[in-house]
Amino acid sequence: MEFEVSELVEAKRQIDSTIHKLRETVKTFESKENASRYNSQITLAKRRMEAFQISIFLIEREINNLEEKN
């Protein structure tokens, strides 16, 4: 698939926003009195953050490649 730089920049912005929300979710769960009850949600959120970090890396690489071509 071919994407324009503007589409990739917007996708990155949306992913950054989602990562921020996931970080806040993890903080909230970890700060709860009985945080161990939320271990599965915390693990899921952390795994999603890692996956989104990979996505951001790949998006940034693609943006750089497209900008070098122009």
Side-chain angles (χ1 to χ4, degrees), residues 19-50:
I19 289 172
H20 174 75
K21 291 173 186 173
L22 286 169
R23 281 190 186 120
E24 294 303 313
T25 299
V26 168
K27 285 181 192 176
T28 299
F29 283 140
E30 289 178 336
S31 69
K32 293 207 177 267
E33 191 173 302
N34 49 0
S36 62
R37 287 183 62 194
Y38 302 98
N39 279 343
S40 61
Q41 290 94 333
I42 292 169
T43 300
L44 179 61
K46 287 180 177 180
R47 287 180 180 166
R48 286 180 176 167
M49 285 189 290
E50 290 174 16

